[in-house]
Amino acid sequence: MYVPDFEYHAPNTVAEACAILAELGDRATVLAGGTDVLHKMKVGKLTPEHLVSLKNLDELREIREEPGRVVIGALASHNQIYNSRLLQRRYLSLPLAAHTMASNQICNLGTVGGNIVNGVPSADLPPILIALDASIRLTSARGERTLPLEDFFYGSAQTRIEPGEILTEISIPDQQTTGSTYMKFGLRRSGALAVAAAAVSVQVSGDTLHGVRIVLASAAPTVLRVTAAERSLIGRRIDDELLTEAGNFAAQASRPRDSIRGSAEYRKNLVGVLTKRALRKAIEEGHA
Amino acid sequence: MSDNHSVIGRSVPRIDGPEKVSGAAKYTGDLKFPNMLYGKILTSPHAHARILSIDTSEAERLPGVKAVITHKDVPTLKYGLSPARWDESIFCSDKVRFVGDKVAAVACLDEDTCYKALKLIKVEYEVLPAVLDFLHAMDEGQPQVHEEYARNINTEIHQEFGDVEKALAEAHHVRTDTFVGQRTYQSPIEPHSAISMWDGGKLTIYSSTQSPHYFQHYIAREFDMPMGDVRIIKPYLGGGFGGKLEPTGLEFAGAVLAKLTGRPVRTFYDRAEMFAHNRGRHAQYMEITTGVDKNGKILAAKANFLMDGGAYTSLGIASAYYAGALLPLTYEFDNYQFDMFRVYTNLPACGAQRGHGAPQPKYAFESHLDNVAADLGIDPMDIRIINARRPNTVTPNDFRVNSCKIKECLERVRVMSDWDEKKKNLPLGRGIGVATGSFVTGAGYPIYRTDLPHAAAFIKVCEDGTAATLYTGSVDIGQGSDTVLCQMAAEAMGYRYEQMKIVAADTEITPLDFGAYASRQTYMSGAAVKQAGEEVKRQVLEMASVMLGLPAEDLDCADGQIFSKSRPGKSLSFEEVARKHFVLRGPLLGRGSYTPPKLGGNFKGAAVGTSPAYSFGAQVGEVAIDEETGEITVVGIWDVHDCGKVINPRLLHGQVHGALYMGMGEAVWEEVLFDDKGRIKNAELANYRLLTAVDMPPITSEVVDSYEPSGPWGVKEVGEGATNPTLGMFSNAIFDAMGVRVNSLPLSYEKVWRALKEKREREEDEARRKPEARRAEAPLETDGAMPVYANPS
Amino acid sequence: MAQAITDKDGVKRYLITLNVNGDAHTVLVKGNAILTNVLRDQLDLTGTKKGCELGDCGSCTVLLDGKPVDSCLVLAVEADGRQITTIEGVAANGRLDEIQQSMINHAAVQCGYCTPGMVLSAKALLTRNPNPSEQEVREAISGNLCRCTGYVHIVEAVMATAQGRVTPDDH
């Protein structure tokens, strides 16, 4: 296979990277782990004139705790997330989601930032991050802005990142949730894209749900938060019937299409099953 | 079996192990020659189109491009692997017949330039309607894939043995089922490549080939050269499974590019191009009818099949015959009818994939047999034991079976898998299934008509006796033939495996062998090697007789020591005798060859499926089904094989594991998918979904004590036979778990889910209408998205 | 940023240093050069195989700063200055590593095409986790597709290595 020619840039600071991107506009593509960008270039889906590599921006690899939040640098690899003691302690569901992503080799290369910016509905990290109410920071020569990750996606492979912007960090706020999980259904047990997936976070006290977020992957052209299903749960006593009902709401709200991984009908069914099971797991097992 | 062998029967380490684990082993694509160019083939983006014009001028002007060729620059003689149908050209001249058909090629200074040059070749096409659905390929009004083959019929077979209608009329129970098998692809991990070079009038090609001999034969034919001027060399080869059995455009176009440029040219396929070249398993529609007596004894069977051949014949005529020919092997019945059409479509050509022709028909037959057993209330294990073939019998289609321990395999796997206990106690959602398989130990006849022996070998002992080199045309594609044949050579010579070397699969240096297909090498190449080794041993004993002053008949040689059978203590080392032989009598050489006996009956197609011996095996698998998602968890698989004398147990079980792995993928996970333009939708490994290490269940593999009287030391095949039961075994385990039968491959999660959903809906519907009459536990027939079928006959 | 050299046709190449198996190699590569190809074609380290070129099969696995990666998805320029271990660097002074010997002993090698990547994935696992469970072994090699073995003997070979059950000729 063949990677088309391009001009290569490897800035040493975020500011330098922003300056280069400001100058090149949409002629440039940002290169992080490369597992998506180089793949697309090899199969002819992407032919950027310029590649701006972030490899020298080590400060974006850090995962740290700050007052009120946990901050994940956009260049943290999937395995870095999986192996992070901090994340394992605070939100184990996120490391476990990172682990379901792909093979070990890909998890060593691929980055959380790339997984988000790629914008595909089958990406594994955005659903659980949205369930954990994460926000992202976008940096450009014009400055910085922060927005909820939930608002970032608006179509298949379409996001609100603007030319010249770099996703620099993801932050998860301290929260009242008592549990979260990401449940993915693939057609084999490693290296499989989700046929459908559901991430949830819950706030349980006693036998009642006081808060819940339900976010689906591979269920619509974008990552999809299903607020109707969430509303159906709030304040209600937890039992199997309730969870099944929430699953049905999620299935109804989903808009999957027929694909080589499964028919729309099958995927809708999976959404319902996974939502129900994810809720049960988050309720029973906390952030796992 | 207790025996006094010192080399065979032991799990010696592979002779190529150190080179392979250290990265030193060179595969074709790893080789580099001075001045070498890189070549690539331009293929058709359309399934069916007329070529109006080809303009190569822009590509020719690109710096780094050394040659661009089209049909005008190459021989026009049609080729193929089955001599009964030569229908493929090096490059298409009039029209293209599938997405991936060969149109032109380039030779360039580097790989990147090849890809750039291909984009600059302008081909003007007139797109034609395409035949994409094999079930309708023979219908009136369908486009013709090849003008000369009416109704797109590539192969038509009608065979009848005994009196099927009479037997069915007399049967206690007659049942018909239909099944559909999918296209799968061999997917060796090494992509094909070839390096072609000329030295005057002589052509040398290094290639990832399973059969240097057939390559040599067909390449010489295509270029109208004497075979002696074509040399084919197989370096290390990264898996074939049938997909590398025939010469491809890489060799044909590569040879022309090398000729035109006067430089070595390495041609290669990337992964997507491998899928397009294909030659994988045929998709197949299978209707099976059997009649049984009240005990479940099969009285007659009818197989009515239709196969999607793709755009060319490849080895597909043999595949078509094999599909029916091997069905009467594991069970005994006298009346058998087989009808088959193999049709052309505008899709990649299909050919021989591990278990050639047999796994899908076996899936259909084994699923059907479980349905019959359920109808009669017989345990699936019992119905197989009742019908199991006995040794020294002849099948209705005239295959002579010598050794056969299928019954012992079934009885053993029954115990190993804890069948009887599980059959009674597994809860809904858990199931256990059994199926059998059998396969040829080498084909009784060569692919093209010739009276040449099928295998030959010679052995050269080093002057000082410290090493011996086996020269064989046999082809190690990973299955371990180099190791096993060296064990056999050492055993026959009375020598040590550790001192063996091997030179294999180079048509100029090594003697003829047809290569790695039809599970033939341990038996056939082994027979030639044994003969060569025995010739060495005879000469060594004669020399030792002179040296010791003892009659040669009193001497024997084992493990590198010559000793007197009657006088303990009288001995010589192999080395000193071999050295003396060289000094007094010249080079110490042994030669051997093997030709199978005349086999088979006298009807049309009688040759396909003949073999000097057949392997047998039985598999049990246990599955757990997630009712809400259809997800299948494989709890365990047990395989018991009758494969004759085992030369290297560890390598043998490795073959079973690998064959099972391929069968498992085909059963549930693998399928080549096409869009409505005939383009492959999943021509990459991410979406073709080879199973990973975390997908594999525990596998227990055993052999029964077996000896095949016709084979060297009693050997038979194993490498393909273990694929044959797997698909049916999965079908039956799922049936057992859920009480629903999915009638098409792959038995995907979605199809299982859908079958369960339909069962549930049917039951609810029934309960609603007549709640009092609701039957409790009758298994329901459902099918996962079965296409509508127009009967071809 | 690596030094760039532009030729008379305006093609830019980068002077990079790859530390491969302990040897520093300074090579000139185009920006689009893939690490697999540079290792194979420029350094003649053909033990790193090309199977799918899209990160699906793991044949091209190398260790980048000790971690297994698919070298087909790494630009050579991105590996400038980093430590790379290829299969050729696993055996020290011609002596096979235990995992390599174990692969031979257990007949975990068939066609051998996946073997280099498999060895490197297993080696990396055993380095960071000397006592893995069977499930951890399976996960660690799940990015390395093998079409020959069903992984049965491979898993056995890795487990035997972890448990110190490798002998020079254990057959």
Side-chain angles (χ1 to χ4, degrees):
Chain A
M1 299 188 93
Y2 162 64
V3 178
D5 297 320
F6 54 81
E7 184 85 8
Y8 175 76
H9 308 265
N12 288 312
T13 62
V14 173
E16 201 185 316
C18 291
I20 293 171
L21 287 172
E23 187 191 321
L24 296 173
D26 57 9
R27 291 185 297 151
T29 294
V30 170
L31 178 69
T35 56
D36 288 317
V37 166
L38 291 175
H39 193 290
K40 281 186 197 152
M41 289 175 77
K42 283 184 169 191
V43 299
K45 284 187 185 161
L46 184 67
T47 48
E49 269 179 68
H50 298 265
L51 268 190
V52 180
S53 167
L54 305 185
K55 70 164 182 168
N56 295 326
L57 310 184
D58 285 337
E59 69 267 35
L60 301 188
R61 293 180 210 283
E62 211 186 342
I63 301 172
R64 63 180 189 276
E65 215 165 10
E66 284 183 3
R69 62 182 198 147
V70 171
V71 180
I72 303 168
L75 289 185
S77 70
H78 307 311
N79 267 348
Q80 230 181 307
I81 290 175
Y82 177 51
N83 292 321
S84 160
R85 290 285 157 90
L86 166 61
L87 290 174
Q88 288 171 7
R89 177 169 52 81
R90 295 284 303 267
Y91 308 108
L92 178 58
S93 54
L94 178 59
L96 293 178
H99 190 52
T100 69
M101 286 272 318
S103 71
N104 195 31
Q105 288 92 322
I106 299 288
C107 285
N108 279 326
L109 287 172
T111 63
V112 56
N115 195 237
I116 292 170
V117 170
N118 198 26
V120 296
S122 60
D124 290 299
L125 296 180
I128 186 67
L129 286 168
I130 293 172
L132 293 170
D133 199 18
S135 59
I136 55 174
R137 176 174 293 180
L138 297 162
T139 307
S140 70
R142 301 180 297 276
E144 286 188 336
R145 61 184 179 124
T146 300
L147 76 163
L149 180 56
E150 192 187 335
D151 298 341
F152 185 61
F153 307 99
Y154 67 91
S156 182
Q158 288 177 303
T159 68
R160 304 214 180 273
I161 198 162
E162 280 164 19
E165 280 187 323
I166 302 170
L167 170 59
T168 47
E169 66 175 41
I170 298 98
S171 80
I172 303 173
D174 293 353
Q175 51 199 278
Q176 302 297 312
T177 56
T178 53
S180 62
T181 198
Y182 175 64
M183 213 165 256
K184 168 180 178 175
F185 189 83
L187 296 179
R188 64 177 184 191
R189 301 203 166 157
S190 173
L193 291 176
V195 184
V200 304
S201 65
V202 294
Q203 187 192 340
V204 180
S205 85
D207 55 6
T208 310
L209 270 168
H210 293 289
V212 62
R213 282 170 167 254
I214 300 174
V215 190
L216 307 174
S218 288
T222 63
V223 184
L224 185 69
R225 185 166 170 201
V226 279
T227 41
E230 293 172 3
R231 276 196 302 273
S232 75
L233 291 162
I234 298 294
R236 293 179 58 189
R237 226 181 80 90
I238 299 160
D239 58 21
D240 275 357
E241 210 174 309
L242 182 69
L243 302 186
T244 304
E245 190 187 312
N248 290 341
F249 272 116
Q252 278 162 27
S254 68
R255 288 170 281 130
R257 60 183 173 89
D258 290 337
S259 84
I260 56 171
R261 296 196 290 281
S263 69
E265 185 196 3
Y266 180 54
R267 299 171 78 177
K268 249 182 188 313
N269 166 70
L270 289 174
V271 165
V273 174
L274 295 169
T275 301
K276 175 183 71 179
R277 291 181 183 181
L279 284 167
R280 186 181 297 141
K281 184 160 184 275
I283 290 164
E284 288 171 5
E285 295 175 32
H287 292 287
Chain B
M1 195 192 297
S2 72
D3 57 40
N4 53 3
H5 303 305
S6 55
V7 192
I8 62 169
R10 284 202 293 134
S11 293
V12 303
R14 287 182 73 104
I15 199 158
D16 52 8
E19 280 200 277
K20 285 181 172 172
V21 298
S22 63
K26 293 278 188 190
Y27 298 72
T28 304
D30 299 335
L31 300 175
K32 229 186 210 181
F33 291 88
N35 219 18
M36 187 174 85
L37 298 173
Y38 297 77
K40 278 211 82 66
I41 296 172
L42 178 73
T43 60
S44 159
H46 305 295
H48 199 193
R50 201 170 304 288
I51 298 174
L52 302 178
S53 67
I54 306 175
D55 178 2
T56 60
S57 55
E58 202 179 332
E60 282 161 24
R61 283 196 299 272
L62 183 72
V65 175
K66 295 295 169 183
V68 184
I69 56 173
T70 68
H71 64 93
K72 292 184 188 129
D73 307 291
V74 302
T76 54
L77 187 65
K78 290 199 170 173
Y79 68 86
L81 191 53
S82 260
R85 284 285 180 292
W86 282 321
D87 55 11
E88 195 162 358
S89 304
I90 298 182
F91 293 126
C92 302
S93 54
D94 52 348
K95 62 177 193 173
V96 292
R97 292 182 175 81
F98 72 99
V99 178
D101 217 349
K102 309 181 292 295
V103 175
V106 297
C108 308
L109 280 179
D110 56 44
E111 209 175 313
D112 287 9
T113 308
C114 288
Y115 285 101
K116 290 178 185 169
L118 290 183
K119 285 190 191 143
L120 298 177
I121 299 175
K122 303 268 181 295
V123 186
E124 207 185 335
Y125 293 103
E126 177 198 339
V127 177
L128 302 170
V131 186
L132 300 177
D133 179 359
F134 77 103
L135 298 173
H136 294 290
M138 295 192 294
D139 291 358
E140 282 301 316
Q142 282 289 304
Q144 286 280 114
V145 179
H146 293 265
E147 272 66 25
E148 50 277 56
Y149 298 103
R151 291 177 62 214
N152 294 316
I153 297 170
N154 169 266
T155 309
E156 182 171 352
I157 304 168
H158 305 287
Q159 297 177 337
E160 186 174 351
F161 311 97
D163 189 336
V164 173
E165 291 312 320
K166 180 164 173 283
L168 290 179
E170 290 167 2
H172 165 73
H173 179 60
V174 177
R175 183 184 170 101
T176 299
D177 286 306
T178 54
F179 300 91
V180 179
Q182 86 282 36
R183 269 182 181 250
T184 58
Y185 176 55
Q186 290 95 349
S187 299
I189 306 297
E190 179 209 21
H192 306 237
S193 54
I195 302 173
S196 307
M197 59 192 80
W198 292 82
D199 179 5
K202 185 184 144 186
L203 171 63
T204 298
I205 303 181
Y206 292 80
S207 177
S208 42
T209 165
Q210 292 179 233
S211 176
H213 174 77
Y214 289 131
F215 276 47
Q216 183 188 26
H217 172 79
Y218 278 114
I219 287 163
R221 178 183 166 275
E222 189 68 17
F223 293 109
D224 193 21
M225 294 166 68
M227 264 178 52
D229 282 342
V230 177
R231 179 183 185 183
I232 308 294
I233 303 167
K234 180 223 61 133
Y236 280 112
L237 188 132
F241 316 107
K244 293 173 179 167
L245 186 53
E246 59 194 273
T248 67
L250 298 181
E251 287 81 18
F252 291 126
V256 174
L257 289 168
K259 183 84 177 178
L260 284 176
T261 57
R263 299 167 71 163
V265 177
R266 186 210 284 167
T267 45
F268 54 96
Y269 285 151
D270 60 30
R271 183 58 53 178
E273 292 164 342
M274 291 170 73
F275 272 93
H277 169 70
N278 212 266
R279 323 286 148 154
R281 181 102 58 220
H282 294 70
Q284 198 165 171
Y285 174 90
M286 298 163 288
E287 180 188 272
I288 304 243
T289 301
T290 59
V292 294
D293 71 12
K294 62 182 190 317
N295 300 317
K297 180 87 190 73
I298 302 169
L299 304 174
K302 262 165 86 163
N304 184 12
F305 293 175
L306 175 70
M307 247 184 179
D308 176 4
Y312 297 104
T313 299
S314 177
L315 198 57
I317 294 180
S319 318
Y321 276 101
Y322 265 121
L326 299 187
L327 269 185
L329 273 170
T330 55
Y331 307 120
E332 283 185 32
F333 47 86
D334 296 330
N335 305 294
Y336 178 51
Q337 184 181 330
F338 172 48
D339 295 285
M340 159 71 87
F341 286 89
R342 180 185 190 267
V343 294
Y344 283 118
T345 57
N346 291 114
L347 296 173
C350 298
Q353 181 169 338
R354 197 171 200 160
H356 195 182
Q360 289 187 358
K362 208 49 185 153
Y363 149 74
F365 199 91
E366 293 289 322
S367 302
H368 170 75
L369 193 57
D370 261 32
N371 289 348
V372 171
D375 291 346
L376 299 182
I378 300 176
D379 182 286
M381 191 65 84
D382 290 334
I383 200 168
R384 287 170 173 79
I385 290 173
I386 289 166
N387 286 291
R389 177 162 296 285
R390 291 158 301 164
N392 304 309
T393 50
V394 179
T395 67
N397 48 345
D398 284 341
F399 300 157
R400 174 163 295 284
V401 174
N402 307 317
S403 60
C404 173
K405 292 205 164 173
I406 182 67
K407 185 161 169 278
E408 288 82 346
C409 290
L410 283 162
E411 284 165 347
R412 178 65 194 137
V413 81
R414 175 177 217 148
V415 174
M416 269 165 72
S417 63
D418 203 9
W419 173 272
D420 292 321
E421 209 42 46
K422 285 177 179 165
K423 197 73 195 160
K424 272 186 287 195
N425 298 328
L426 285 181
L428 186 71
R430 282 286 274 268
I432 189 161
V434 61
T436 62
S438 175
F439 202 64
V440 298
T441 302
Y445 294 85
I447 289 176
Y448 71 96
R449 197 178 290 265
T450 175
D451 59 359
L452 288 169
H454 289 216
F458 53 83
I459 294 167
K460 187 200 86 171
V461 180
C462 180
E463 301 77 57
D464 67 351
T466 55
T469 306
L470 170 63
Y471 293 80
T472 167
S474 66
V475 185
D476 198 325
I477 60 175
Q479 82 285 52
S481 59
D482 282 359
T483 303
V484 164
L485 294 174
C486 280
Q487 282 183 271
M488 293 170 101
E491 184 68 43
M493 292 163 68
Y495 202 53
R496 295 185 200 95
Y497 167 75
E498 292 73 15
Q499 288 166 272
M500 290 301 303
K501 320 283 175 205
I502 185 162
V503 174
D506 177 337
T507 58
E508 196 151 300
I509 295 176
T510 61
L512 166 74
D513 190 291
F514 287 149
Y517 68 100
S519 286
R520 52 180 298 286
Q521 293 193 153
T522 303
Y523 184 107
M524 293 188 176
S525 313
V529 166
K530 180 168 186 272
Q531 196 181 49
E534 285 166 352
E535 189 174 308
V536 170
K537 184 169 171 176
R538 191 164 59 246
Q539 297 171 79
V540 166
L541 295 185
E542 278 167 17
M543 191 70 244
S545 156
V546 174
M547 291 167 75
L548 288 168
L550 292 169
E553 306 77 63
D554 180 44
L555 300 177
D556 203 354
C557 179
D559 205 24
Q561 284 293 317
I562 293 130
F563 56 90
S564 161
K565 288 184 262 189
S566 63
R567 289 167 228 212
K570 281 281 197 185
S571 72
L572 290 167
S573 74
F574 189 100
E575 282 88 343
E576 58 189 311
V577 179
R579 186 177 188 288
K580 184 66 91 184
H581 184 283
F582 197 92
V583 171
L584 297 179
R585 296 180 178 174
L588 178 51
L589 302 169
R591 297 166 305 150
S593 68
Y594 172 79
T595 304
K598 186 179 170 345
L599 296 164
N602 287 318
F603 54 93
K604 187 175 181 224
V608 182
T610 58
S611 178
Y614 297 88
S615 72
F616 294 89
Q619 278 174 11
V620 167
E622 185 183 343
V623 299
I625 312 275
D626 182 332
E627 201 175 341
E628 290 182 316
T629 64
E631 188 177 22
I632 298 163
T633 299
V634 188
V635 179
I637 300 178
W638 298 265
D639 179 291
V640 181
H641 249 77
D642 161 16
C643 44
K645 165 75 183 173
V646 178
I647 303 297
N648 187 316
R650 209 165 274 170
L651 293 192
L652 178 127
H653 290 297
Q655 285 302 296
V656 172
H657 301 152
L660 231 166
Y661 169 79
M662 188 170 279
M664 196 173 143
E666 290 186 54
V668 182
W669 288 272
E670 297 179 24
E671 180 171 22
V672 180
L673 298 164
F674 295 92
D675 69 9
D676 60 3
K677 298 274 190 292
R679 295 174 298 210
I680 302 179
K681 290 202 278 190
N682 55 344
E684 14 79 20
L685 295 174
N687 285 313
Y688 184 71
R689 285 196 298 274
L690 297 187
L691 293 177
T692 73
V694 289
D695 297 297
M696 291 305 286
I699 294 172
T700 313
S701 161
E702 280 191 12
V703 293
V704 292
D705 196 6
S706 165
Y707 182 87
E708 166 56 39
S710 70
W713 291 287
V715 304
K716 292 199 285 188
E717 87 78 49
V718 70
E720 300 187 70
T723 299
N724 286 339
T726 314
L727 286 64
M729 176 270 279
F730 269 94
S731 172
N732 290 339
I734 293 167
F735 180 55
D736 185 53
M738 304 306 321
V740 295
R741 170 86 57 195
V742 176
N743 284 339
S744 70
L745 294 169
L747 311 164
S748 66
Y749 302 165
E750 178 167 354
K751 286 186 198 165
V752 171
W753 168 78
R754 194 174 298 283
L756 286 166
K757 177 170 164 276
E758 285 166 4
K759 177 193 179 195
R760 208 165 39 241
E761 286 166 1
R762 213 171 318 199
E763 283 170 356
E764 282 163 11
D765 199 38
E766 235 166 73
R768 220 178 5 257
R769 271 183 292 174
K770 348 177 214 173
E772 72 286 357
R774 186 180 168 193
R775 283 177 303 142
E777 279 309 313
L780 282 164
E781 286 300 310
T782 17
D783 90 65
M786 253 261 315
V788 182
Y789 171 64
N791 194 316
S793 50
Chain C
M1 179 92 185
Q3 189 190 336
I5 295 163
T6 307
D7 69 14
K8 63 174 175 44
D9 297 323
V11 177
K12 197 183 265 188
R13 288 184 173 78
Y14 299 89
L15 198 60
I16 60 167
T17 299
L18 302 176
N19 299 303
V20 186
N21 305 327
D23 300 331
H25 296 273
T26 299
V27 288
L28 204 53
V29 300
K30 281 175 61 185
N32 63 351
I34 291 289
L35 181 58
T36 317
N37 295 346
V38 172
L39 292 171
R40 289 171 53 83
D41 300 337
Q42 288 182 249
L43 303 183
D44 285 329
L45 296 169
T46 56
T48 303
K49 301 301 182 200
K50 286 166 83 164
C52 70
E53 302 180 68
L54 291 174
D56 296 330
C57 77
S59 309
C60 65
T61 301
V62 301
L63 306 187
L64 192 59
D65 296 330
K67 296 189 179 110
V69 299
D70 293 315
S71 64
C72 71
L73 291 181
V74 177
L75 292 175
V77 283
E78 295 276 290
D80 184 18
R82 299 175 73 178
Q83 302 295 326
I84 297 163
T85 304
T86 70
I87 187 64
E88 289 88 350
V90 175
N93 303 319
R95 238 187 98 82
L96 294 181
D97 187 90
E98 284 203 338
I99 180 65
Q100 292 172 310
Q101 187 61 52
S102 188
M103 294 278 283
I104 296 174
N105 294 353
H106 287 84
V109 177
Q110 287 191 28
C111 84
Y113 205 78
C114 74
T115 306
M118 201 66 84
V119 166
L120 286 162
S121 282
K123 179 78 187 157
L125 168 71
L126 295 176
T127 303
R128 71 168 191 277
N129 178 3
N131 292 300
S133 66
E134 183 179 318
Q135 183 61 23
E136 286 169 328
V137 169
R138 287 181 180 274
E139 284 188 10
I141 61 168
S142 69
N144 297 85
L145 295 178
C146 169
R147 190 56 155 168
C148 297
T149 64
Y151 310 98
V152 180
H153 286 160
I154 296 173
V155 172
E156 280 175 21
V158 182
M159 290 304 287
T161 312
Q163 292 157 6
R165 291 189 281 107
V166 184
T167 55
D169 55 349
D170 167 30
H171 57 265

